[in-house]
Amino acid sequence: MTTRPTPKFTGIDTYRDSLGRFQFRFPMDWHAHKLADKREGILYSPQDSNPQTWFAVWITDLKEQVVAEDLHVLRQGLDKGLADLKDCHVEVADDTVMENLIKFERIFTFREGQQTRKWRQWLLYVDRWLMVVTYQGESPEEYDYWYAMVNHSFLNFNIAEALWFAVDRDLARLNKPTSPSETSAEG
């Protein structure tokens, strides 16, 4: 039996969101693909056509600010969504709150038709944005095969500095408008 050579980087490139909200590094010989459903973001895959193993980031404007106190209700929605996947098995579930930034990390397998897929996913609620960072392995074996390269993209995913300021709870309190009664009491 011949073993498949491990994937090797031939170079690294950087994807920068057109509005400056995030950026990440990716293998420069991977192929860019548009996201389905007119999502705002990008998908990169080692496969040129019909990508089944891929790394993608998409962003959604939530129209409302998310705060740390929203963790419980957001987790319920995430858990329900995963429960709706056929034969879903969650291997890793980690919830992190940093100021008003909420990060859910899930690693899980599920069935899609006859194929078992494996995902690593971050759902980042940053101020009024939902950033979804996802790695899909066509199969658990493909997930493991490409993991080191894709992990580089996760480790080099960065949120814009302005958004870190937006989720800072102390700064949010300083920028909170005063009520009319507070203003008249001071005058």
Side-chain angles (χ1 to χ4, degrees):
M1 179 173 144
T2 60
T3 59
R4 190 173 171 190
T6 58
K8 295 186 178 23
F9 285 100
T10 58
I12 301 290
D13 205 346
T14 302
Y15 175 84
R16 290 177 179 83
D17 171 56
S18 63
L19 297 178
R21 298 165 291 188
F22 65 88
Q23 69 178 32
F24 62 88
R25 308 292 305 259
F26 65 93
M28 67 183 295
D29 57 350
W30 282 33
H31 307 277
H33 299 272
K34 291 186 178 192
L35 295 169
D37 304 326
K38 297 184 181 181
R39 286 185 175 150
E40 185 181 353
I42 191 77
L43 181 146
Y44 285 97
S45 174
Q47 300 157 330
D48 187 23
S49 61
N50 192 28
Q52 299 299 308
T53 294
W54 45 261
F55 176 82
V57 179
W58 62 87
I59 188 166
T60 303
D61 185 344
L62 301 172
K63 308 292 186 214
E64 278 187 41
Q65 184 181 41
V66 174
V67 294
E69 291 75 15
D70 297 327
L71 174 73
H72 181 69
V73 70
L74 294 171
R75 183 188 305 123
Q76 284 179 326
L78 174 58
D79 291 344
K80 182 184 178 323
L82 289 173
D84 289 345
L85 294 173
K86 186 176 182 183
D87 298 330
C88 183
H89 172 70
V90 177
E91 297 175 12
V92 173
D94 184 44
D95 304 344
T96 305
V97 177
M98 297 173 278
E99 300 286 336
N100 274 332
L101 183 147
I102 299 172
K103 175 186 168 191
F104 296 105
E105 179 172 11
R106 300 294 186 268
I107 299 175
F108 57 96
T109 58
F110 65 98
R111 303 270 309 152
E112 184 177 59
Q114 298 301 311
Q115 185 66 48
T116 298
R117 307 284 189 208
K118 186 167 182 179
W119 277 29
R120 177 181 184 190
Q121 189 169 60
W122 288 354
L123 284 84
L124 301 161
Y125 291 88
V126 185
D127 192 36
R128 62 185 185 94
W129 303 102
L130 169 59
M131 298 179 190
V132 181
V133 183
T134 305
Y135 166 43
Q136 173 178 285
E138 180 174 358
S139 65
E141 296 78 22
E142 285 297 292
Y143 178 96
D144 292 343
Y145 180 76
W146 293 103
Y147 182 78
M149 290 183 99
V150 173
N151 195 45
H152 184 78
S153 296
F154 274 96
L155 293 174
N156 287 283
F157 179 85
N158 292 301
I159 298 168
E161 187 175 291
L163 291 177
W164 281 108
F165 284 114
V167 297
D168 185 299
R169 291 173 79 86
D170 291 332
L171 289 176
R173 279 191 283 278
L174 290 174
N175 291 328
K176 187 176 183 180
T178 57
S179 69
S181 62
E182 290 176 64
T183 306
S184 63
E186 293 173 6

